[in-house]
Amino acid sequence: MMLRFPANFLWGAATAAYQIEGAADEDGRGPSIWDAFARKPGAVTHGDSGAIACDHYHRWEADLDLMASLGLRSYRFSVAWPRVLPEGRGAVNQRGLDFYKRLIDGLHARGITPMATLYHWDLPQALEERGGWANRDTTDAFAEYAAVVYEALGDEVPFWITLNEPWCAAYLGYGNGKHAPGITDGATWLSAAHHLLLGHGKAVSALRAKGCRDGLGITLNLSAVHPASDDPRDVAAARRCDGHENRLFLDPLFRGSYPDDVVSRYAQVTDWSFVRDGDISTIAAPLDLLGVNYYLRHRVADDSLDSGHGWVLLPPTTPRTAVGIGTEPSGLTEVLVRLKNEYTTLPLYVTENGAAYHDYVDPEGGVDDVERVSFFDSHFRAAHAAIAQGVELRGYYVWSLLDNFEWADGYSRRYGIVFVDFGTQRRIPKQSAYWYQKVIQSNGLTS
Ligand code: IFM
């Protein structure tokens, strides 16, 4: 008995430029906010950086062979803005574009469909020095960059994602400062969030003007959010958390306004004057697909200690990954069904889902990541349950193809289905990679 996925379901794996490419100073690449942030003492575990990472910039052909050997139907990668426009705006670095051209040609040669993300957090440092995403000018810079990339590569890439996880770029980057550029400010992150969305909207219109008729979308990290109890204080706290993580992005994109409760909640810190006439209609420009990155199902309680955040996330009750997150596949079904019922009937793609575990090479030379196999098995089933409820889910990209630079956690967290020995750059497919290969071959799971 097989649990089958729809015909032509896009089984893939995802990565991001700064997390795997390395070659930070090569072929004219300019510095990004992550190069600068990684140099700040204490910002990244062990002082790690993406300067070498998986050395994918030099090993891309072998990595593509690996993808082909696993039978991947699609590969989601991101384009590094500072490789293409080292100063963020202005002079185009052809060598940067050529790298992605080679990569995309290599994917096609192996029958793997490319999905390109334009922004996965590596803002050119030159733009950060002018205020980064807190500066409205960055929205125009992003649209210019998007147009340059699409002009060069658009014909060969059927799927374009403008932004990856704008909540992370805004809140972790400009709110709690755990990510680059490391700013901690209760109001700045809201203007960054708005400018990210506005940049997305302007990029959509730039790509449409260049002839992009299909396959264009944005990727949001969306969480399932539950009150810890029926107590109205917990219910209200869960709604605040949902507003902060999910609705702040979904509502302007799909309902044409910021949610009233979110606007009034943050009125204490901002007058929202960065939202100008016409912005919301730019943000709400029609899309062809929505990407969903799913990692979290929260249980939310009222913040009785009044720590200032407005809610408390209770510890998981399910088996935890190496980063302490609970394993909550049902949350994926919830998120996907909620999107269909409350926001959009656009085709959906799980553009990321995965887990870090304490993987190691055993004496036989293999990496027996049984936890990850079980993690993906349960999440694929959860995705299938959403499809059974009428969700038009068209693809699923595991995070990640390779162990890589996990941002502030450096190389201490392994998310790959392929183990990377960073010292030698040897790749060792984990058990989960071989298991995934069979899922792809059979387009389903044994029920
Ligand atoms: O590694 C990240 C990725 O860059 C964005 N989504 C979550 C992943 C795991 O933390």
Side-chain angles (χ1 to χ4, degrees):
M1 283 283 287
M2 288 294 295
L3 200 61
R4 282 204 195 281
F5 281 73
N8 302 319
F9 195 74
L10 272 191
W11 294 105
T15 63
Y18 191 73
Q19 294 182 270
I20 65 162
E21 285 179 2
D25 295 323
E26 245 172 274
D27 289 344
R29 177 188 179 276
S32 80
I33 53 174
W34 272 93
D35 298 291
F37 185 68
R39 276 194 295 272
K40 287 191 190 166
V44 176
T45 302
H46 291 184
D48 292 341
S49 81
I52 300 174
C54 305
D55 196 31
H56 172 74
Y57 192 78
H58 301 115
R59 296 168 193 263
W60 61 272
E61 276 187 283
D63 287 341
L64 292 188
D65 288 342
L66 183 57
M67 291 178 215
S69 76
L70 296 177
L72 295 189
R73 295 193 183 146
S74 185
Y75 173 54
R76 174 176 177 241
F77 62 96
S78 79
V79 177
W81 186 346
R83 261 191 215 292
V84 176
L85 291 158
E87 292 293 318
R89 295 184 104 153
V92 174
N93 177 35
Q94 188 58 43
R95 287 176 297 170
L97 285 171
D98 290 346
F99 168 69
Y100 297 106
K101 172 96 176 74
R102 291 194 292 276
L103 184 75
I104 292 162
D105 287 349
L107 285 166
H108 286 302
R110 291 163 180 81
I112 301 171
T113 302
M115 175 182 277
T117 301
L118 286 163
Y119 186 68
H120 198 127
W121 308 352
D122 43 1
L123 186 73
Q125 177 63 16
L127 295 183
E128 184 54 39
E129 278 155 25
R130 299 203 281 277
W133 285 109
N135 180 349
R136 192 177 171 94
D137 291 348
T138 301
T139 64
D140 294 317
F142 182 61
E144 287 161 21
Y145 153 68
V148 166
V149 175
Y150 191 82
E151 178 89 39
L153 309 171
D155 288 348
E156 296 177 57
V157 178
F159 297 107
W160 289 91
I161 300 291
T162 54
L163 305 177
N164 183 70
E165 301 183 356
W167 178 87
C168 294
Y171 185 67
L172 304 180
Y174 296 83
N176 73 9
K178 293 201 168 146
H179 279 189
I183 290 167
T184 48
D185 189 272
T188 305
W189 82 271
L190 290 163
S191 72
H194 178 67
H195 292 146
L196 279 151
L197 285 169
L198 185 60
H200 152 81
K202 290 183 179 180
V204 167
S205 108
L207 264 58
R208 297 295 192 210
K210 295 257 169 221
C212 180
R213 296 276 160 269
D214 201 7
L216 179 54
I218 184 172
T219 280
L220 302 178
N221 52 305
L222 298 173
S223 308
V225 181
H226 289 260
S229 77
D230 293 340
D231 185 320
R233 286 169 301 184
D234 290 345
V235 173
R239 184 155 173 78
R240 288 195 290 277
C241 173
D242 181 49
H244 169 92
E245 280 190 35
N246 299 322
R247 291 182 291 113
L248 175 61
F249 297 90
L250 285 168
D251 282 32
L253 284 165
F254 297 108
R255 291 186 175 167
S257 64
Y258 283 111
D260 288 343
D261 61 312
V262 176
V263 171
S264 45
R265 175 169 152 69
Y266 293 114
Q268 312 154 21
V269 292
T270 179
D271 60 6
W272 294 85
S273 55
F274 46 77
V275 182
R276 299 201 192 149
D277 285 352
D279 284 4
I280 298 287
S281 59
T282 303
I283 292 170
L287 299 175
D288 308 315
L289 60 91
L290 175 65
V292 176
N293 289 1
Y294 173 73
Y295 290 92
L296 296 164
R297 181 178 186 272
H298 298 307
R299 285 185 310 131
V300 185
D302 187 36
D303 185 359
S304 50
L305 298 176
D306 197 20
S307 67
H309 204 46
W311 62 88
V312 185
L313 301 179
L314 298 190
T317 53
T318 51
R320 296 183 189 204
T321 71
V323 289
I325 295 174
T327 308
E328 303 276 8
S330 66
L332 175 58
T333 317
E334 282 172 37
V335 165
L336 297 173
V337 171
R338 179 192 190 186
L339 287 171
K340 172 178 83 81
N341 291 344
E342 297 180 25
Y343 285 100
T344 179
T345 52
L346 282 177
L348 304 180
Y349 292 79
V350 173
T351 40
E352 281 183 33
N353 169 245
Y357 291 106
H358 299 291
D359 304 322
Y360 56 89
V361 183
D362 62 30
E364 289 81 35
V367 182
D368 227 347
D369 58 339
V370 288
E371 305 93 337
R372 189 171 286 99
V373 170
S374 143
F375 177 94
F376 280 129
D377 183 88
S378 62
H379 284 76
F380 292 173
R381 286 173 200 279
H384 196 278
I387 295 170
Q389 291 178 55
V391 170
E392 190 163 343
L393 183 69
R394 294 200 181 163
Y396 202 120
Y397 294 74
V398 299
W399 184 268
S400 179
L401 175 72
L402 302 170
D403 290 339
N404 57 47
F405 175 76
E406 176 53 21
W407 307 112
D409 288 327
Y411 297 97
S412 70
R413 302 288 184 244
R414 294 184 175 273
Y415 275 91
I417 56 170
V418 174
F419 187 92
V420 177
D421 175 0
F422 293 104
T424 61
Q425 293 295 347
R426 184 162 168 231
R427 275 70 161 142
I428 305 173
K430 301 177 191 176
Q431 206 51 52
S432 57
Y434 296 118
W435 174 85
Y436 191 34
Q437 183 184 42
K438 292 204 187 83
V439 171
I440 298 171
Q441 267 164 14
S442 57
N443 196 33
L445 302 156
T446 318
S447 67

